[in-house]
Every structure is written in C-alpha cells, then in structure tokens.
Amino acid sequence: MRRELMNMNTTIRIAKVTCEVYKSLAPLAIASLRKQNIEHVHAHSRRAVVLREQSTFSFLPTITGLDEDPAEVLEFYLPWSQAEQVLKTVVREVNLSAPGRGSIYAEEVQLRNPEGVDFINSNVTLSGDAQPELILTELASINCVVQRGQGNEIARHALEAGTNVPAISFGLGTGLRNKLGLIRVTIPAEKELVNVIVHAQDRDEIMNALIQAGRLDQPGNGFIGASPVGFGVLNPKTFRGKQRYSASMEQVITAIDQLKTGTEWRKKTVSLQRSDVYLKKSFLHDLLNMTLICNEGKSSDIVNAAISAGAGGATISKIKYSTMTASKHAVSPAREAISMGVSPKSVEAIIHAIEAAGAFGSDTACIVETKPLPLACTYLGK
Amino acid sequence: MSDSKASSKVHLTFKQNLDMIKPYVKKRILEQIKSVWLIVLYLIVFQTLILGIPISEASIISVGIILVVAGLTFFMEGLVLGLMPLGEIIGVKLPQKSKLPVILTFSFILGMGATFAEPAVGILQVAGSSVKAWDAPLLFLLLNKYSNYLVYSVGIGVGIAVVFGMLRFLYGWSLKPFLYIMIPGLLAISALAALDPNLIYLTGLAWDCGGVTTGPVTVPLVLALGIGISRIVNKGGDSGSGGFGVVTLASAFPILTVMILGAFFLFSVPKPMAEADFLSSQNRAATVYLFSSPENMTGYVLQNASKNGQLTYFNGDPALMLSSIRQLAQDNQLKKAVFGEKAEAAFSNWALFKATDEQKLAIFGNAEAISKETDRYLASGAKGVDAWELTVRNSVAAVQAIVPLCVFFFLVLWLILRERIPRKDELLLGIAFAVIGMGIFSVGIELGLSKLGGQVGEKLPAAFKSIELADQKTVVRNFDPAVVQTAISDQGVREQFFYLSGDNRYTALTYNPAGFDQASRQYSYVPKKGPLFGATGGMLGILVVLIFAFIMGYGATLAEPALNALGLTVEELTVGTFKKSLLMQAVAIGVGLGIGLGVAKIIWGIPLIWLLAPPYVLLMFITKTCTEEFVNIGWDSAGVTTGPITVPLVLAMGLGIGGQVGVVEGFGILAMASVYPILSVLLVSLWVNRKQKSALQEAAAEIA
C-alpha cells in the first residue's frame, strides 16, 4: 500500500544525487549537469567546515580553529540505473576526485510527484566514456539538527572523529512551537542542520561522538539521524595549515584508496566504550525520513497537516528550484524543504493529511521524498 | 486550514508564559546594551574626563539612554518578526502573480512612500540651519520655502532606484555597470556644480540626501523585498543569495534628482552676495523670492541678520525699523505672519535675547519692563522637558513611518495578489513592536543621545581652541559697574575683574564690558575653556578631535538598527560564512574614518569634492576585482550607516565644530560616512575571497 502511495507516477528505483561544491566551483558543476540534460535541480547554500591550524606567533603553541567557506548544494532525482554514470561524469568534469573541491553522492529514495510536474530527470544524456573513477560505496549520511550557533561544535567533533568535510545549513524548527499562541515567538526557532557523510561501518561510533558532543539525548538539544547512502565521492580535505611531510595526508589517503581499489582499509578500529553502550539504548530504530518540498509560504499549512496526522516536529529550510533548460515550468523557484523523522506506520496518514491540505495541487507542488532512517536519537521524554 | 487549530493548541499558564518571556526579553535587551554601551560610555568619559566639563541634565540624559535601549530592543524584534518577513512575502509573491508594470509601479510607490514616511528633510534642515540666505540662496530656498519639493525630488529618486533595483533582480543584471556609470557621472556633475557659486553649496546637500533617506524602516523592507524577488528568479541552477544593491541605488539616484531640482531653480534665485547687498531695497524683488512672504523675510532678517543688516533692510532708516517693530509687537496677526507657527514664543525669544537695546526699548517701553519680562520668560521656560509633547510627536512620527507602508503591503497582498497571509498574528505583533520601538527610541535619542552628543560636539573644539561654555552662562541682575576693579600683571597689562559672591565664597571673574547690558542692568558672562591640548589651533588638539570623531562614528555605527538588519541578512544568506560582526566592524571602522575626515574637512575647510572623489575613484577599481555578491553588500553598507543614531550625533558634532570655526554649512560629513565603509567592506571581502581562493589553490596544487 505504501509503495503504491509513494511511487504513484513510476515504479522504477529513484536516486537522489547530492552534489556539494565550494561556491566558486558551482558554475562548473551546474555546467556539467546542464550538459547531461539534468533539468530539475533544487539548490541551497551551506557552509563547509574544516580544521585550520592557526599559528599567530611562532613562539606560541598552534591552535586548531575552524575555517568556514560557502558551498553550493545541488540536489536532483533521477532513475537509479543512471545515477552512477551521471555521478562519475560530474566527478570527472568538476574534478571532485581531487581532495578539497567538494563531494557528490547518491541515495535511494521513494518519491511522490505533485500533479502535473515530474521532478525525476529521466531524459538524461549519458556521456559515453565512463572512466573508472574511484567511487566509495556503503556510506551513511548523518544529519543533525541543533540550535543555531551549535553547528560548529558538532562539526568540530565530527572532524576530530576523522570524518570527511561536514557542512552546515540553516533551518527553522517547528513542532510544539506551532501549537502555541503568539508566545511561540519567545522560543528560538533558528536551527542549524549539520550534514556529514561517513562510512557505514563508522556510523554508530561517529553518531555516538556527536550525541555526546551536542548532548542530543537531553531535552531541547536537537535531533540526529542516519540514513544509508549508496555510493559517492567525498571530500577528505579536512585540514588546512602547515604541511610537515612531502605529501599531505589527503594525498596519502587518496593514493592508498587507489592502491587498494577501495576504502575498506579506512575502517576505524576504536572499540566501543562504556558510555556508548549506554547511548546505544536510547537510539530510535527503523524510522523513515520524510522530506516534503513545497512552494515557499505553504510550509506552515503542510507542517500543521503532517503534525495533526502524527508527525512529531519538522525542520524547514529554504531552497531554490531551478530548471536548467529553457523549458518553462509552473513551479515557483522559491521552495521550502520540510524534513521530518516519522514512524513508518504514520506515513500513509501524513500523505493523506497533506493531500487534504492541498499539497499536491499546482499552487503548492509538493514533492514527498522518503528514505529509511535506521538509526536516530533525540530526547523522548521521561 | 487555519494557522493554529483550536483543537491542537497548547494552553500555557500565566507562570509558564512568564517563564518563557523572561529569557527571551533578557537576551534581546542584553544584545542592545551590547550595541549601545560603547558610544554612551565613550561620550560620557570623553566629556567628563578628557574635556573635564560636567554633563548638564545628567538625569534626563540617562532616562533617554534607557529609552534608547528599550526602543531598539522592540524595534529590532519588530523588524525580524514583522517588517522583514512581510517584505519577503511580497517579494516572493509579486513576480509570480503579477505582470512587470504592476511590479514596477509597486516598486516606485514603495520608494516614494518610504521617503515620505521617514522624512529625513528635518535632519537636513538642521544641518543647514546655520546657512544664511545671502551666503547660499539656492540651498536656503530648497531647505526652507521649497523643502517639500526637496522631499519630492528625493522621493522620486528613491522610487526610480527601487524600480531599477527590482529590474536588476528580475533580469539578473549586475550592479557594476550601474556603479561605473552613475558614480563617475555624479562626480562629474558635482565637479561642474562647483563652478557655480549657488550649486557648489547644493552638492553637499545632494550627497547627504542620498545617505540620509535610507532609514531604519526603508532599508530592512527593501532588503527583504529584494531577497524575496531574488528567490523567485530562476538563475539556472544557482541558489543565488541576492537581494542587495537597492540601498546603493537609493543613495545614488536622489543625488541626481536633487541636483536637477537645484538646476531647475538656479535661475530664479539671486547669486550669493554680501549681507548688505542682499538686504538692500534694490535687490528686494529678487531676494524676497527666497521667502514665502515679505513678512516671513522680515522675521528672518530680524532673527538672523546683523545690526547693520537689519538697518539696511529697513532702508537705513532707524525710525522706520523701530516703528515697524512697535507695530509688530502689538499686532498678533502680523506677528504670526512674521514669526510663523509658534509666533508668541519665537517673538519673546527674539525680543528678549536677540534684539538690540533700542529694539527692546521700542517693544517693552522701559528697562524695568524688560527685566520683568525676562524674569517671566525665564520662569516659564524653566519647566524642563515637555514629556507629553515629546511622546506624542515621536509616536505620531513612528506610526507615520511604519503603518502606512505596512497597510500598503497588506493591501497589495489582499487585493492584487489575493494571497492569504501566513502567520498573520506574528507579522502584526512584529509591526506593533516596530512602531512601539521606534517611538520609544526616537524619544530616547532626543532626550539622551543627541543631547549628550550635542554637548560633547559643542565643547569638542575646546581641545584646540578657547570656547565659551554657553550652557554655563550666568546672569547677574542689577549689576553695578562700580564693583569692577583693576588688576595688573607683571608685564604691566591691566585687566578688569570683579568678585562674585555665592556658595559662601567669593570668586574673581574677568570683567568684559560687552557683557553688561545698560538697558536691563544685567551682566551676563560665559565661562571659557581651552585650548586643552597644546596651543590654539595646535596639531595635538586637532588630533584629539579627529580621534574622537573616529571613535564616535565607530561606536554609533555599531548601534545602528539598519546596519544590524543588514548584518543579520548577510549572515543568514551566506549561511554564517560572512559573519554579522565582521561586516559591522568593517562598516564601523569605515564610518569612523569617514567622519574623522569629514571633521577635518570642516576644520581646514577642504572642499568636499577633494575628499569624495579619491575614494570613489579607488572604489571603481576595487569594485572591478570583487565578486558581484560582495560588491552588492559592500555598496549597500554605505546606505545603511547613516541612521537615527549616527546622524544626530554626527550633525551635533559637525555643527558644533562648524559653529566654533565659522563655516557656512555642516553638510558633507554624512556623505563621507557613506563612502569609506564601502571601501572597508570591499577590502575585507577581497581578503575573504583571497583566503577562499588560496584554500582551493592549495587543494589544486595537490592534484598536480
């Protein structure tokens, strides 16, 4: 039943590809997508965070600070079967296999299109010569929602746990807030969304580290969840500063990846500690991540409908929809993405509720994207 | 679907509500204290410790400062909750639902409306209050008789600017070509204007108009509108953090429209001339054009012209003058025509303090009547601040500045866009906060900051020259010149002095015969101060003044609400990579530099164009190398700097110094405070860009 509801327009497997590059490389990435006839793209800005060794005076000990740079995120849906080739072409054309430029990865999602518009890019022009780019597989995307201002702290802990470059975007939290009267203005709604892609084997440990860093199992501190990512190329350039060896760590890693033709060797060998065992118990299992992308201004209606049908709370961020080709679409470029962690049982009810709220009409043009959220954590009350 | 379903609504107890409000209010008040404390503390420390002059009306000023903090707290929250979301909603909806002509008409009305709503002309009138009609007739005409034309022309300029701003967003035009054409064009016009004795005075006004018109309501609204429109434009893939640049255009176009207005009236006004020529009856036909009526001119002459000038005005006939004045004192109708609205107060003030002895006698009859009238007037004037009048006036101004624009926005949403407004209650709360906040902080500024700034500004020249402390003026009634004694110095120079008793001690005071008024038998004296640093006109003293000007500009800028709004927006759109604090520091340092140089302009009488042209020319080159995003942000910072906190402080200081060193007008400092922040922000952005580029190059080098 759920499958039917979700893939109303199509029965093929859908991939959502996320390409995140430093801002000055965005035109290169966009050109590559345009060349491959990727028509529907949702874009937003993030800031990529890396460690920076700061040496003010030579006699002082060096401190490690954070460097924050603007990054552009381009997301698009396409048939799963074509995702790998498109991704490889972008990697080659934007030179993402070189560390320090950006990352690109594909997740399998289920998608429901609004009436009249198909956001799946099915007419992709595949470039013939697929080169053997080194692609990582079995990844996981960790997403963490914290209060505005806490994002860097989470990102720093992720970096210190040895992840690839994390990125932060802005959003607005809603949930209990919406149920209050005007007094809601006293609750800060501004959130930061920290995203980092890790190897599936390292997922639990890094999540534990981040839960501890942000005390996310305590009330009012936020939410963390991890969902599987099929494959991708990540940005391991997490450190800027003096280079003490003839090759940088990133170069060494890339070289070993190529020698071993894979990244299995990178698995962290840290054993679980006692506190992690305690934390394991507070994990939520087998939720779904539901992302609703609708026209700007409609999110409060949709969130209200979703919450009345059983969703707990949501994070809303502003994104921009673009058609790469000249063809005109009725869909507004100003869009909002609503992200929620929901129980699989309530998906159907939520979709019905938002449909009743007019989500799939041309005025709202809401996309429903779901993907598994096998592991999550937040404060669940006493 | 309603925003908040009654069934799902959570009800909180009063105590729970209070517990939520407390941290919310505390955080916001602390934020505002953080932005205001520097400038307040600085002014107080400077006046009391460095100049060594006590602060008069300290209690009123401290109430004013508390009001400024409270007002800013409300106003900023109002901007974030109400005005900016409203602007953004319109920006997103308008291009989707209406055609280009509607968008452009809306933009033009918004620009004009914003100018009329925040009439900065009052500020400009203050800046030009010391301009004498004979020194700069055209400037005088536009600031007084035709001040409404001045407002219209600025309004049209801002309207055109918003239209072009929106066109830019809709068609993705770069800001750079606009700058490359407009700035050199405006500089050229200003340089040409310097050839005409009338227009040269107008340039300062024109350049200041641009900066002054973009106030704390206009800037956030226009920014939000621009962000909304940029979000709706498909730029082919980019998430496009646009929305800036309108403020820049809104600062530039009014310069042009004001200069055009000046050119239009140029041939109707007489050339600048000496006071005597201006007031002589041969030139009357030409000069009376500057005034709304011949009576109005009489009033102006009586209040502003010198003794000889007044005599010239009455055809050199003292009897005619005295009889005219006698008639004036008796005819209330005439009094109103001559002295304007508050005729009675203005007349008394003039008659008692500015009129010559003969004129006084003509009005009051004899010396006793004069001293009685003086007592009565002083007693009635000692009431202090009229709190009610102040509150009402500023509340009305706040409502005028915000409500009509918001009503216009709501009407457009309802009638043209037929859009249901999301989170209406929040928007309305925000607008209410903004109105309340603006009312409170305007009162606070009037009571606190601008008073404090005025006191310091007036006394600042004491650093390099001797000045009179007018607010410590003392009047000795029934003075008898017989008590005056003579002292002698070791060089044999004789000096007259007398003893003043009071507070159980006798103070020796220098006797200045000019301070004794034979008619009222009063001796008034004004204490003197300075030069505090080095000799009169010495470099050390001037340096102290320039450093003071820099720090004052810096501190005042950090408290500006429009700049805070810009900083928030920039931080939001760059996802925190361009921090609000970095932008504000850069702008504040730029403003400080600009104001320092503006003061230098006044002290040394440097022509404005010399100080404006070099930075603008330099900016043309820097603009070329900067990215579009930063060019927009950098140039916009120029327009937001001159807001309700900086302007009164800067003007008070500019006029204070100008008055002490004797210059015609206090214009131009604000224009200086606009150009230097652009420079500092663009330099910071170059540095940021370089850092980002070198990080990418580091990565690129590793590939090779």
Side-chain angles (χ1 to χ4, degrees):
Chain A
M1 183 62 194
R2 181 162 65 81
R3 180 155 282 277
E4 212 181 297
L5 261 171
M6 289 308 302
N7 284 341
M8 232 170 216
N9 326 62
T10 170
T11 49
I12 54 166
R13 295 172 77 193
I14 304 297
K16 174 180 164 185
V17 177
T18 306
C19 174
E20 179 190 307
V21 292
Y22 283 110
K23 201 122 205 168
S24 53
L25 299 175
L28 215 57
I30 291 166
S32 171
L33 297 186
R34 187 172 287 146
K35 221 162 80 183
Q36 298 178 73
N37 199 24
I38 306 275
E39 208 181 330
H40 312 280
V41 175
H42 279 100
H44 67 273
S45 299
R46 283 184 187 165
R47 66 170 195 267
V49 182
V50 298
L51 294 169
R52 144 87 60 191
E53 183 184 69
Q54 291 166 330
S55 47
T56 36
F57 294 104
S58 53
F59 55 86
L60 288 175
T62 54
I63 338 152
T64 313
L66 294 180
D67 254 10
E68 303 155 87
D69 293 305
E72 185 78 6
V73 179
L74 307 164
E75 294 172 328
F76 49 94
Y77 302 102
L78 76 173
W80 181 260
S81 55
Q82 296 170 339
E84 188 170 342
Q85 202 163 358
V86 168
L87 188 143
K88 279 182 174 169
T89 310
V90 175
V91 168
R92 192 181 63 243
E93 290 183 351
V94 191
N95 197 0
L96 292 180
S97 49
R101 291 171 70 84
S103 59
I104 185 167
Y105 53 88
E107 308 162 82
E108 184 171 358
V109 298
Q110 290 184 299
L111 196 73
R112 187 198 198 282
N113 276 312
E115 289 149 25
V117 196
D118 187 356
F119 283 91
I120 301 166
N121 297 286
S122 17
N123 302 322
V124 178
T125 318
L126 294 174
S127 66
D129 51 331
Q131 285 186 358
E133 299 283 347
L134 186 72
I135 304 287
L136 311 179
T137 52
E138 285 174 59
L139 304 171
S141 163
I142 298 181
N143 285 290
C144 188
V145 183
V146 290
Q147 296 285 354
R148 184 72 62 91
Q150 303 294 309
N152 276 7
E153 198 48 33
I154 301 288
R156 175 195 282 275
H157 276 86
L159 285 165
E160 282 170 356
T163 63
N164 294 294
V165 175
I168 300 172
S169 55
F170 283 168
L172 291 175
T174 173
L176 171 69
R177 205 171 180 275
N178 256 18
K179 294 185 188 171
L180 298 171
L182 257 185
I183 192 80
R184 67 175 178 272
V185 301
T186 60
I187 305 175
E190 288 84 6
K191 306 284 183 199
E192 278 180 327
L193 286 66
V194 188
N195 172 266
V196 59
I197 309 296
V198 300
H199 298 278
Q201 324 90 294
D202 302 331
R203 180 192 72 186
D204 294 11
E205 281 158 47
I206 290 170
M207 268 183 82
N208 271 331
L210 299 189
I211 291 169
Q212 278 175 316
R215 313 212 317 140
L216 297 173
D217 53 341
Q218 299 300 309
N221 285 347
F223 175 90
I224 189 168
S227 52
V229 170
F231 52 89
V233 169
L234 306 180
N235 176 12
K237 176 79 182 166
T238 56
F239 187 82
R240 290 177 194 161
K242 265 190 229 148
Q243 189 179 311
R244 294 195 182 78
Y245 306 97
S246 52
S248 79
M249 189 48 74
E250 292 79 22
Q251 283 170 317
V252 175
I253 294 169
T254 318
I256 297 179
D257 277 351
Q258 275 158 4
L259 282 176
K260 297 227 174 196
T261 59
T263 55
E264 273 299 300
W265 67 274
R266 286 204 214 168
K267 185 173 160 85
K268 306 270 186 307
T269 49
V270 189
S271 60
L272 288 181
Q273 291 162 0
R274 208 165 11 105
S275 60
D276 299 331
V277 178
Y278 150 70
L279 279 168
K280 269 242 126 128
K281 280 195 289 187
S282 62
F283 276 139
L284 301 162
H285 292 280
D286 299 323
L287 294 178
L288 279 180
N289 179 292
M290 196 169 196
T291 305
L292 311 172
I293 301 175
C294 63
N295 283 351
E296 182 165 340
K298 301 294 180 186
S299 64
S300 61
D301 287 354
I302 291 182
V303 168
N304 281 338
I307 285 178
S308 65
T315 314
I316 303 169
S317 32
K318 289 185 176 174
I319 62 177
K320 189 153 186 174
Y321 167 71
S322 298
T323 51
M324 294 291 200
T325 51
S327 73
K328 288 265 175 187
H329 267 283
V331 179
S332 151
R335 305 270 279 168
E336 285 171 315
I338 305 161
S339 174
M340 307 181 283
V342 298
S343 136
K345 280 175 288 180
S346 53
V347 168
E348 206 172 310
I350 291 174
I351 291 182
H352 278 304
I354 63 170
E355 185 160 21
F360 302 118
S362 62
D363 213 23
T364 310
C366 182
I367 304 173
V368 181
E369 172 209 305
T370 53
K371 60 185 180 191
L373 194 66
L375 211 55
C377 177
T378 188
Y379 175 69
L380 285 175
K382 283 159 236 159
Chain B
M1 286 299 309
S2 80
D3 278 350
S4 44
K5 276 186 168 177
S7 57
S8 62
K9 212 162 188 176
V10 176
H11 287 282
L12 299 177
T13 62
F14 178 70
K15 194 181 168 301
Q16 280 174 318
N17 275 330
L18 213 63
D19 284 346
M20 288 169 77
I21 290 172
K22 251 190 259 165
Y24 164 81
V25 172
K26 190 176 152 196
K27 185 171 165 231
R28 277 154 184 82
I29 289 183
L30 280 179
E31 251 166 46
Q32 294 313 321
I33 290 179
K34 234 165 60 188
S35 68
V36 174
W37 73 269
L38 178 70
I39 182 69
V40 172
L41 189 76
Y42 182 66
L43 289 175
I44 293 173
V45 165
F46 195 85
Q47 179 162 5
T48 52
L49 297 187
I50 301 188
L51 295 182
I53 301 164
I55 293 167
S56 52
E57 303 179 86
S59 57
I60 292 180
I61 288 176
S62 48
V63 170
I65 287 163
I66 291 169
L67 289 181
V68 167
V69 170
L72 278 177
T73 308
F74 271 110
F75 184 71
M76 280 309 296
E77 193 61 12
L79 284 186
V80 174
L81 277 182
L83 293 183
M84 296 183 72
L86 185 62
E88 207 175 325
I89 291 171
I90 293 253
V92 169
K93 297 294 173 198
L94 196 66
Q96 279 180 295
K97 300 225 171 165
S98 43
K99 297 243 154 30
L100 193 63
V102 178
I103 301 175
L104 298 186
T105 312
F106 170 84
S107 307
F108 188 76
I109 296 176
L110 170 67
M112 289 253 332
T115 312
F116 295 151
E118 288 184 279
V121 70
I123 293 167
L124 299 169
Q125 277 171 333
V126 173
S129 57
S130 56
V131 176
K132 297 280 185 279
W134 40 91
D135 286 332
L138 181 62
L139 184 60
F140 182 82
L141 179 77
L142 294 184
L143 282 176
N144 297 288
K145 184 178 173 190
Y146 288 150
S147 63
N148 48 345
Y149 289 145
L150 184 65
V151 178
Y152 297 151
S153 73
V154 172
I156 290 170
V158 176
I160 297 173
V162 179
V163 167
F164 273 106
M166 297 306 142
L167 280 172
R168 271 192 59 224
F169 295 141
L170 290 171
Y171 295 109
W173 297 340
S174 162
L175 181 66
K176 292 181 183 181
F178 280 88
L179 298 173
Y180 297 150
I181 296 169
M182 293 201 71
I183 301 300
L186 289 172
L187 286 175
I189 291 175
S190 306
L192 272 181
L195 300 176
D196 182 276
N198 248 322
L199 284 176
I200 190 168
Y201 289 113
L202 198 65
T203 21
L205 173 73
W207 284 84
D208 276 4
C209 274
V212 169
T213 44
T214 45
V217 178
T218 318
V219 169
L221 266 185
V222 165
L223 269 183
L225 185 76
I227 288 161
I229 292 196
S230 304
R231 278 193 45 71
I232 208 72
V233 178
N234 185 353
K235 284 191 193 141
D238 208 312
S239 68
S241 52
F244 304 104
V246 189
V247 178
T248 305
L249 298 180
S251 301
F253 274 100
I255 304 178
L256 189 65
T257 49
V258 169
M259 291 308 283
I260 291 174
L261 180 76
F264 184 76
F265 284 112
L266 181 61
F267 300 102
S268 319
V269 298
K271 293 259 165 286
M273 53 183 91
E275 185 186 355
D277 294 332
F278 184 88
L279 296 174
S280 71
S281 47
Q282 297 100 288
N283 287 326
R284 190 65 46 83
T287 53
V288 82
Y289 176 73
L290 300 182
F291 301 90
S292 49
S293 63
E295 287 79 18
N296 178 266
M297 184 170 179
T298 312
Y300 181 80
V301 170
L302 288 177
Q303 291 179 83
N304 293 283
S306 67
K307 216 165 151 183
N308 287 332
Q310 293 183 19
L311 209 55
T312 319
Y313 180 72
F314 291 101
N315 304 333
D317 180 357
L320 175 66
M321 176 173 81
L322 293 180
S323 70
S324 307
I325 288 172
R326 224 170 275 132
Q327 193 198 348
L328 181 64
Q330 280 144 14
D331 186 344
N332 277 333
Q333 208 63 32
L334 188 61
K335 219 185 263 178
K336 204 160 237 164
V338 172
F339 284 97
E341 270 307 296
K342 292 174 180 163
E344 206 51 55
F347 175 75
S348 307
N349 188 38
W350 167 75
L352 292 168
F353 301 107
K354 292 203 181 124
T356 59
D357 291 345
E358 305 159 313
Q359 288 171 338
K360 277 185 191 170
L361 282 171
I363 296 163
F364 298 106
N366 55 39
E368 264 133 76
I370 296 174
S371 84
K372 220 159 66 195
E373 270 301 307
T374 312
D375 286 348
R376 201 179 60 81
Y377 185 82
L378 288 177
S380 71
K383 265 188 301 190
V385 203
D386 186 346
W388 177 247
E389 186 268 344
L390 197 65
T391 315
V392 170
R393 180 160 46 81
N394 283 303
S395 309
V396 169
V399 170
Q400 270 176 358
I402 296 170
V403 174
L405 275 178
C406 291
V407 169
F408 173 59
F409 273 39
F410 276 115
L411 282 180
V412 169
L413 271 177
W414 274 321
L415 299 179
I416 299 180
L417 305 181
R418 301 186 182 282
E419 207 35 64
R420 202 177 50 74
I421 299 151
R423 290 189 294 274
K424 209 182 303 164
D425 52 348
E426 230 173 278
L427 289 181
L428 291 175
L429 181 75
I431 293 166
F433 275 0
V435 173
I436 295 170
M438 194 164 189
I440 297 178
F441 91 62
S442 317
V443 173
I445 284 171
E446 217 170 291
L447 284 182
L449 269 186
S450 65
K451 257 203 183 120
L452 191 56
Q455 286 186 15
V456 180
E458 242 166 64
K459 288 155 197 165
L460 192 57
F464 65 92
K465 66 187 285 261
S466 168
I467 60 158
E468 295 184 333
L469 304 178
D471 58 346
Q472 289 173 40
K473 175 175 171 176
T474 308
V475 177
V476 183
R477 303 267 162 74
N478 299 319
F479 188 81
D480 184 356
V483 303
V484 175
Q485 303 175 34
T486 308
I488 190 158
S489 75
D490 57 356
Q491 303 295 317
V493 180
R494 281 163 194 266
E495 261 179 53
Q496 288 188 300
F497 76 101
F498 63 93
Y499 284 109
L500 181 74
S501 70
D503 293 342
N504 287 328
R505 60 201 177 105
Y506 305 110
T507 326
L509 292 174
T510 314
Y511 177 71
N512 175 12
F516 181 59
D517 182 13
Q518 200 76 45
S520 55
R521 302 184 59 76
Q522 283 178 352
Y523 179 75
S524 47
Y525 71 92
V526 182
K528 283 191 176 175
K529 184 100 188 173
L532 294 172
F533 302 92
T536 297
M539 269 317 289
L540 183 64
I542 291 179
L543 195 67
V544 169
V545 172
L546 295 184
I547 291 173
F548 169 82
F550 172 82
I551 301 182
M552 197 198 73
Y554 172 83
T557 304
L558 291 181
E560 275 302 337
L563 180 61
N564 269 284
L566 180 78
L568 278 178
T569 315
V570 169
E571 186 169 324
E572 187 75 27
L573 287 181
T574 59
V575 203
T577 47
F578 202 120
K579 294 260 181 319
K580 177 182 155 197
S581 53
L582 179 65
L583 179 75
M584 291 191 59
Q585 291 296 332
V587 172
I589 289 174
V591 173
L593 275 177
I595 291 180
L597 285 168
V599 168
K601 164 201 178 257
I602 292 182
I603 294 178
W604 286 305
I606 308 169
L608 182 62
I609 191 86
W610 289 18
L611 289 175
L612 276 186
Y616 272 116
V617 169
L618 185 61
L619 272 176
M620 291 290 102
F621 290 107
I622 297 181
T623 299
K624 207 165 158 38
T625 56
C626 275
T627 58
E628 179 71 23
E629 190 182 9
F630 283 122
V631 165
N632 277 280
I633 295 173
W635 281 82
D636 266 14
S637 351
V640 301
T641 50
T642 41
I645 311 244
T646 321
V647 170
L649 288 179
V650 169
L651 276 185
M653 182 183 65
L655 292 177
I657 298 174
Q660 295 287 357
V661 300
V663 291
V664 175
E665 32 96 40
F667 291 118
I669 304 191
L670 293 176
M672 304 289 294
S674 289
V675 57
Y676 286 89
I678 312 178
L679 210 53
S680 56
V681 173
L682 287 189
L683 288 176
V684 165
S685 81
L686 275 184
W687 170 69
V688 169
N689 263 346
R690 226 180 115 127
K691 218 178 65 174
Q692 285 169 5
K693 218 178 258 172
S694 76
L696 267 182
Q697 270 162 2
E698 201 179 308
E702 285 174 13
I703 310 165

